[in-house]
């Protein structure tokens, strides 16, 4: 099955700075890579996704890049705000199932 | 976007009882729903894939007799934790695939505490 690794496990940034989270996946057949934000006690919320036929996608302050050759993808949050503080999960879709990374706890310091 | 609703959001039960958690897709039909379990400060672990009108497919290591899944309609899947024990206490989350893009939408989760 698919194995997704995510780094770092925790990330503390100053408000206004950028945050970058990186993930790698093992199976080259994976073709869909979503990123989720999870707040305490709530379910994951999709914030951005990318498909294997695209190298980069941007939505306001959030961007995702995908390197299929290296099998890694990254989440970039610019101009971070306190409300960006949460746990972020990357995932890869393989065989119609999502495999999740271990999560990154992001803390934005005011 | 599409909404997936879970109920109850929190449940406390006594050891040995059974608890049912519902997952509904509110504005789309979901032929496939997924059930996850999440321990504190951990990632989501897929428990089973629920297909409307057929038996659920369980992941390795998940007891199908302990975690009964029923997907009786295109908008409802249920997870029943049978004869619950304290080690079953966890955050259970469902997701549903639907819409034009086949995107996955997650419910808000259900916190189960077994005393």
């Amino acid at each position: 099955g698919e194995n997704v690794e995510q780094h770092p496990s925790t990330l503390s940034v100053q408000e206004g700075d950028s945050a970058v989270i990186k993930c790698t996946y093992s199976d080259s057949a994976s073709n869909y890579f979503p990123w989720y934000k999870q707040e305490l006690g709530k379910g994951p919320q999709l914030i951005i996704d990318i498909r294997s036929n695209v190298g980069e996608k941007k939505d306001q302050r959030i961007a995702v890049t995908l390197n299929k050759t290296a099998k890694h993808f990254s989440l970039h949050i610019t101009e971070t705000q306190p409300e960006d503080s949460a746990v972020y999960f990357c995932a890869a879709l393989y065989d119609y199932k999502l495999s999740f990374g271990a999560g990154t706890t992001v803390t934005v310091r005011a | 976007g599409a909404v997936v609703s879970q109920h109850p959001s929190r449940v406390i039960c006594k050891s040995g009882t059974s608890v049912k958690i519902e997952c509904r897709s509110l504005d789309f039909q979901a032929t496939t729903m997924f059930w996850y379990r999440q321990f504190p400060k951990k990632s989501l672990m897929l428990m089973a894939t629920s297909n409307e009108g057929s038996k659920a497919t369980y992941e390795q290591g998940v007891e199908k007799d302990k975690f009964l899944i029923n997907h009786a309609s295109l908008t409802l899947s249920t997870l029943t934790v049978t004869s619950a024990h304290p080690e079953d206490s966890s955050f259970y989350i469902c997701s549903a695939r639907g819409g034009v893009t086949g995107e996955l939408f997650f419910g808000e989760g259900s916190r189960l505490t077994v005393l």
Side-chain angles (χ1 to χ4, degrees):
Chain A
E2 177 62 276
N3 181 43
V4 178
E5 295 192 355
Q6 183 173 346
H7 299 280
S9 58
T10 60
L11 181 60
S12 178
V13 297
Q14 189 69 38
E15 182 178 359
D17 288 349
S18 296
V20 180
I21 304 171
K22 298 182 179 181
C23 288
T24 60
Y25 60 99
S26 60
D27 201 303
S28 57
S30 294
N31 58 9
Y32 174 65
F33 307 91
W35 284 88
Y36 295 92
K37 177 182 181 182
Q38 187 177 29
E39 297 178 342
L40 193 62
K42 296 187 177 182
Q45 181 185 14
L46 178 71
I47 56 172
I48 197 167
D49 57 10
I50 192 167
R51 296 188 183 273
S52 58
N53 58 348
V54 176
E56 185 174 357
K57 183 177 179 180
K58 189 174 182 180
D59 182 4
Q60 298 183 339
R61 295 187 297 110
I62 296 173
V64 58
T65 59
L66 171 65
N67 183 325
K68 285 174 55 180
T69 304
K71 288 188 280 189
H72 66 70
F73 56 113
S74 301
L75 176 72
H76 302 252
I77 306 174
T78 59
E79 300 173 28
T80 54
Q81 300 168 6
E83 52 264 38
D84 294 330
S85 295
V87 180
Y88 292 81
F89 291 98
C90 63
L93 185 68
Y94 171 74
D95 193 23
Y96 303 102
K97 301 175 189 176
L98 273 182
S99 294
F100 286 83
T104 298
T105 301
V106 174
T107 303
V108 180
R109 307 186 305 273
Chain B
V3 178
V4 174
S5 174
Q6 266 186 255
H7 179 81
S9 57
R10 293 176 182 270
V11 57
I12 301 172
C13 70
K14 293 182 179 180
S15 186
T17 60
S18 294
V19 173
K20 180 184 286 188
I21 301 169
E22 294 186 346
C23 178
R24 293 181 184 273
S25 56
L26 298 185
D27 53 0
F28 66 99
Q29 293 184 330
T31 54
T32 304
M33 290 185 175
F34 302 88
W35 287 95
Y36 297 83
R37 184 173 181 177
Q38 187 178 30
F39 292 102
K41 297 186 179 181
K42 296 293 184 182
S43 189
L44 284 75
M45 180 186 76
L46 180 64
M47 298 174 65
T49 303
S50 170
N51 296 300
E52 187 267 337
S54 64
K55 290 183 178 180
T57 304
Y58 290 82
E59 295 299 303
Q60 192 173 7
V62 178
E63 299 176 61
K64 60 180 180 180
D65 295 330
K66 158 69 80 175
F67 300 101
L68 299 179
I69 291 172
N70 183 279
H71 195 154
S73 78
L74 285 171
T75 59
L76 174 64
S77 176
T78 60
L79 167 68
T80 301
V81 183
T82 62
S83 186
H85 291 284
E87 57 265 30
D88 298 324
S89 299
S90 192
F91 195 51
Y92 293 90
I93 307 170
C94 72
S95 69
R97 186 190 308 283
V100 177
T101 62
E103 185 178 327
L104 272 175
F105 299 94
F106 282 83
E108 285 296 297
S110 299
R111 170 79 57 195
L112 170 63
T113 303
V114 184
L115 302 177

